[in-house]
Amino acid sequence: MSPTIHDVARAAGVSIKTVSNVVNDNPKVGPETRLRVHRIIEALGYRPNLSARGLRSGKSGVIGLAVPSLRENYFAELADSVIRAAKKHDLRVLIEQTDGDRQQEISILTGGRMRFIDGLLFSPAEIGQQDVDVLSGIEPIVLLGERIFGGPTDHVTMHNTSSAKAATEHLLDLGRRRIALIGASDSADDAASSANLRERGYHQALAEAGIEEDPRLVIRGGKWTRETGLDGVRHFISNGIVFDAIFALNDTLALGALRALVHAGLRVPEDVALIGFDNIDEGSFSIPTLTSVDPGRLEIAETAVDLLIERINEKGERSAPRTVKAAFSIIKRESTGFATDDAGPPQ
Amino acid sequence: MSPTIHDVARAAGVSIKTVSNVVNDNPKVGPETRLRVHRIIEALGYRPNLSARGLRSGKSGVIGLAVPSLRENYFAELADSVIRAAKKHDLRVLIEQTDGDRQQEISILTGGRMRFIDGLLFSPAEIGQQDVDVLSGIEPIVLLGERIFGGPTDHVTMHNTSSAKAATEHLLDLGRRRIALIGASDSADDAASSANLRERGYHQALAEAGIEEDPRLVIRGGKWTRETGLDGVRHFISNGIVFDAIFALNDTLALGALRALVHAGLRVPEDVALIGFDNIDEGSFSIPTLTSVDPGRLEIAETAVDLLIERINEKGERSAPRTVKAAFSIIKRESTGFATDDAGPPQ
DNA sequence: ATAGCACGGTACAACGTTGTACCAATATGC
DNA sequence: GCATATTGGTACAACGTTGTACCGTGCTAT
């Protein structure tokens, strides 16, 4: 068995509390005692037992991150950013995957699977406004992304509508007029879903430009996968629907669409300009490179961790929930005609 | 505060042990008592405190996974597979990133940062044979990938050499004779590194085919990133080195190379056939889709979790370390001339 | 009738830590 | 020279669980 604080205390001829004080840099211990204890700790290879510490202090030093799947690039990159942000505060991250499944999402929130984490960063995919009550659990939660507004928890999100509007305007600036939208929701119910928020920006931009919309240009339904993007373009082509630009509601859709465009012999950006959303790493290496909305992933991760830590350390009354929106930007690359000679690494 | 086992016991009029027995499906409790306790648990929303349980049982139900970075697709996908495999055994996964940095790798192994995990899956990038001693820590460790052989721990790996040989043979079968290698190591010291093992397979295949090698076709040094792949191809072109195929030692390198090839107006696979290694998701959506060596990621993850669990449950003497190699296969796609009409999702 | 036993349950200690309360010795103030 | 801080330390309880040992009741087998 690994040595405990008792073993160290015995070997050093002091009380266990003194060892504890040394370990925690508690001032109440003289310099030479401190040195002696440190030496014994080193010699024995003592490491505090985090379960015991967690039990005693009520903190484990671990936060949870629940995302649909790490196989979706955006979430892998988000997880990377979260782990880095957490590390700065000496926190570790436990990752759960929900597969975008409502049952699994709820089970994580209620199941107590994560009982010893100090707090949870939760990126919901399916649960929405109607599930607000399951969020009022005990542990601090910070929500990432959309779907639940006015809930009882902090919320870090992005400028979905205005950035989507900016993306559409970028295509309009290129002179495109028949701009397709891929990845729209097939249900208007959940007005706060990413899909519906972003779609709103699309409509706003077109309206302000005085463009008459063709509803056939909007592909609804389907998961935000490459298949959906690919099928969307195929649908346009096989039905003779003409388009000169595509706004895909995330990069994965855009990359799927890109594949179908190339396959069909359409040139990007000459025949069709293409813009995605998320600015995943892959977009700077696709052929052509992909113009995309950068939703501020790094800022989202860092803000979320900061908010969560505040909640964890909050004593007494829980203060009112806050919502933070990260700054966005449009990253212009080859798929809308902007040369990126050197396909450099993303930030 | 959340309710404890004591609250439940008081409300149900039983002892805390009985509640514990109910929670753990211990048989020593009558049906109606069990029902009553269950009801109270439900009503109070009681969830066992995992820190306390962990302290008492010496197990936390959490395993660690240390990888260079989730931003590298292979590791994101590996993490996904590990989380899924762990979930089947009701284990949770805590992820640490080492950034492929030797200091960070060592600090994870020695630092006790992960003190309350039951075991660690460790995917080393920098530490090697010379660091074998830091592995003989207390907690069970299973190594993923290469670099350390004959160490004191279990080891789940892949058929690096024979699969690399098969990859090269695949290119030879297409009639290619000037096969470039991208991603080779610039140090022959660490014979057990993935790079050197795979390179050996390349040489073996060429030798058996009776092909005289041109050392200029081997690009050494650089991280396994898209940039390195891209730079490799640029180097060939700008130096007038002729080649008709590329074996990239991982898919990221291959995708970088692909970008440079397209940029240079070379057709894949007509002018240059291309094969990668890892079979990451992205390869089935690149343009053209990427032929790759599938190293058996799923099998690796599941085997590793199984081995780790065995170690965790092992009592007394630690048995001899084992090494398992997963089965590989060559996934033939467009980059070596195999049509994949429908760019379907990977397994 | 009684030993034996299964059943359903309880009491208590222990896991390894840290907070609270306390204490002894030395230094400080007037 | 005596009260009073200050410093460096100790003892003990408590965090919430589960394993071990135990106990009472009622049933079965002799």
Side-chain angles (χ1 to χ4, degrees):
Chain A
M1 277 286 96
S2 17
T4 79
I5 206 171
H6 288 94
D7 300 324
V8 178
R10 203 173 312 120
V14 294
S15 74
I16 55 169
K17 188 66 227 273
T18 297
V19 178
S20 169
N21 286 337
V22 170
V23 171
N24 297 287
D25 276 329
N26 209 309
K28 293 192 139 198
V29 45
E32 82 274 15
T33 320
R34 183 177 297 270
L35 186 65
R36 181 157 38 101
V37 171
H38 262 133
R39 266 207 258 275
I40 305 274
I41 286 177
E42 203 66 29
L44 266 55
Y46 165 77
R47 302 289 165 195
N49 177 315
L50 297 188
S51 283
R53 181 177 283 177
L55 172 59
R56 176 66 234 220
S57 66
K59 302 257 161 75
S60 63
V62 177
I63 62 175
L65 171 66
V67 294
S69 163
L70 291 179
R71 254 172 118 159
E72 293 178 39
N73 300 36
Y74 177 73
F75 291 115
E77 294 176 24
L78 181 67
D80 170 285
S81 300
V82 166
I83 291 174
R84 273 172 222 286
K87 198 174 206 165
K88 286 186 195 160
H89 301 276
D90 208 33
L91 290 172
R92 283 151 293 284
V93 180
L94 192 150
I95 297 186
E96 290 273 355
Q97 297 191 135
T98 63
D99 284 324
D101 177 71
R102 183 154 178 275
Q103 271 318 309
Q104 290 196 60
E105 293 188 332
I106 291 182
S107 113
I108 282 183
L109 291 171
T110 61
R113 288 175 50 67
M114 309 196 83
R115 198 75 178 81
F116 72 103
I117 61 171
D118 296 339
L120 177 64
L121 299 179
F122 187 80
S123 182
E126 277 297 321
I127 71 169
Q129 213 73 42
Q130 76 276 20
D131 301 295
V132 158
D133 49 322
V134 299
L135 287 174
S136 29
I138 312 97
E139 63 202 348
I141 297 184
V142 173
L143 239 47
L144 300 175
E146 319 316 318
R147 302 198 73 82
I148 303 176
F149 287 98
T153 66
D154 288 338
H155 192 176
V156 180
T157 178
M158 49 184 83
H159 288 281
N160 277 289
T161 302
S162 49
S163 65
K165 188 179 167 206
T168 311
E169 284 166 350
H170 176 53
L171 296 173
L172 289 167
D173 288 347
L174 301 173
R176 311 296 163 125
R177 288 301 176 264
R178 294 198 47 85
I179 301 175
L181 184 70
I182 297 186
S185 169
D186 49 7
S187 136
D189 290 357
D190 197 346
S193 72
S194 304
N196 284 327
L197 290 169
R198 292 178 194 175
E199 182 179 348
R200 192 175 308 164
Y202 165 80
H203 292 305
Q204 284 180 8
L206 292 179
E208 287 186 16
I211 307 238
E212 193 179 349
E213 286 197 36
D214 179 350
R216 293 179 307 156
L217 284 173
V218 176
I219 302 271
R220 300 196 176 278
K223 293 220 156 200
W224 280 4
T225 62
R226 298 179 219 237
E227 286 80 5
T228 305
L230 195 135
D231 291 343
V233 168
R234 284 187 179 166
H235 170 81
F236 291 142
I237 292 174
S238 62
N239 290 298
I241 300 172
V242 179
F243 59 104
D244 57 12
I246 298 176
F247 176 21
L249 290 186
N250 85 353
D251 283 352
T252 316
L253 288 165
L255 291 166
L258 176 58
R259 172 149 184 77
L261 290 169
V262 172
H263 216 257
L266 290 166
R267 291 168 306 159
V268 178
E270 293 83 353
D271 300 325
V272 178
L274 176 63
I275 185 167
F277 199 114
D278 278 348
N279 190 28
I280 62 177
D281 290 343
E282 193 179 336
S284 43
F285 285 91
S286 60
I287 304 168
T289 53
L290 182 66
T291 294
S292 188
V293 176
D294 180 346
R297 190 193 68 241
L298 209 61
E299 184 185 348
I300 290 175
E302 291 186 342
T303 308
V305 169
D306 287 346
L307 288 184
L308 190 59
I309 290 174
E310 276 183 41
R311 289 296 180 189
I312 290 171
N313 295 331
E314 197 172 41
K315 300 175 204 309
E317 267 318 83
R318 196 176 285 188
S319 57
R322 296 159 291 181
T323 295
V324 178
K325 289 196 181 190
F328 73 91
S329 56
I330 307 281
I331 310 291
K332 297 174 186 172
R333 298 205 188 90
E334 292 166 355
S335 73
T336 57
F338 287 77
T340 40
D341 172 57
D342 196 344
Q347 41 151 329
Chain B
M1 278 285 95
S2 20
T4 78
I5 207 171
H6 289 93
D7 301 323
V8 177
R10 203 173 313 118
V14 294
S15 74
I16 55 168
K17 189 65 226 277
T18 297
V19 178
S20 170
N21 286 336
V22 169
V23 171
N24 297 287
D25 276 330
N26 211 308
K28 294 193 135 200
V29 47
E32 83 273 15
T33 319
R34 182 176 297 270
L35 187 64
R36 180 157 40 102
V37 172
H38 262 134
R39 266 206 258 275
I40 306 273
I41 287 178
E42 203 66 27
L44 266 56
Y46 165 77
R47 302 289 165 195
N49 177 314
L50 296 189
S51 283
R53 181 177 283 178
L55 173 59
R56 177 63 235 221
S57 66
K59 303 257 162 76
S60 63
V62 177
I63 61 174
L65 171 66
V67 294
S69 164
L70 291 179
R71 250 169 123 163
E72 294 178 38
N73 300 38
Y74 177 73
F75 291 114
E77 295 176 23
L78 181 67
D80 170 286
S81 300
V82 166
I83 291 175
R84 273 172 222 286
K87 198 174 207 167
K88 287 186 196 161
H89 301 276
D90 208 34
L91 291 172
R92 283 152 292 285
V93 180
L94 193 149
I95 298 186
E96 291 273 356
Q97 297 190 137
T98 63
D99 284 324
D101 177 70
R102 184 153 178 275
Q103 271 317 310
Q104 291 196 59
E105 294 189 332
I106 291 181
S107 113
I108 282 184
L109 290 171
T110 60
R113 287 175 49 69
M114 309 195 83
R115 199 73 179 83
F116 72 104
I117 60 171
D118 296 339
L120 177 64
L121 299 179
F122 186 82
S123 183
E126 276 297 321
I127 71 169
Q129 214 72 42
Q130 77 276 22
D131 300 295
V132 157
D133 48 322
V134 299
L135 288 174
S136 30
I138 312 97
E139 62 201 349
I141 296 183
V142 173
L143 240 48
L144 300 175
E146 319 316 319
R147 302 199 71 81
I148 304 174
F149 287 97
T153 67
D154 287 338
H155 191 176
V156 180
T157 178
M158 50 184 81
H159 288 281
N160 278 291
T161 303
S162 49
S163 65
K165 187 180 167 207
T168 311
E169 285 166 350
H170 176 52
L171 297 172
L172 290 167
D173 288 347
L174 301 173
R176 311 297 164 125
R177 288 299 176 266
R178 293 198 50 84
I179 301 176
L181 183 71
I182 297 187
S185 168
D186 49 7
S187 136
D189 289 358
D190 197 346
S193 71
S194 304
N196 284 328
L197 290 170
R198 293 179 193 175
E199 182 180 348
R200 193 176 308 164
Y202 165 80
H203 293 305
Q204 283 179 9
L206 293 179
E208 287 185 16
I211 307 236
E212 193 179 350
E213 287 197 36
D214 179 351
R216 292 179 307 157
L217 284 173
V218 177
I219 302 270
R220 300 196 176 278
K223 292 221 158 201
W224 280 3
T225 63
R226 298 178 220 239
E227 285 80 4
T228 305
L230 195 136
D231 292 342
V233 168
R234 283 188 178 164
H235 170 81
F236 291 143
I237 292 175
S238 63
N239 289 299
I241 301 172
V242 179
F243 59 106
D244 57 11
I246 298 176
F247 175 22
L249 290 185
N250 85 353
D251 283 352
T252 315
L253 288 165
L255 291 165
L258 176 58
R259 173 151 183 73
L261 290 170
V262 172
H263 216 258
L266 290 166
R267 292 168 305 158
V268 177
E270 293 82 353
D271 299 326
V272 177
L274 176 64
I275 185 167
F277 200 115
D278 278 349
N279 190 28
I280 63 176
D281 290 344
E282 194 179 335
S284 41
F285 285 91
S286 60
I287 303 169
T289 52
L290 182 66
T291 294
S292 188
V293 176
D294 180 345
R297 190 193 68 241
L298 209 61
E299 184 185 347
I300 288 175
E302 292 187 340
T303 308
V305 170
D306 287 347
L307 289 184
L308 190 59
I309 291 175
E310 276 183 42
R311 289 297 179 190
I312 290 171
N313 295 329
E314 196 172 41
K315 300 174 203 310
E317 267 317 85
R318 196 175 284 188
S319 56
R322 295 158 293 181
T323 295
V324 178
K325 290 196 180 188
F328 73 91
S329 56
I330 307 282
I331 310 291
K332 298 174 186 171
R333 298 206 187 90
E334 292 165 356
S335 73
T336 57
F338 287 76
T340 41
D341 172 57
D342 197 344
Q347 40 149 334

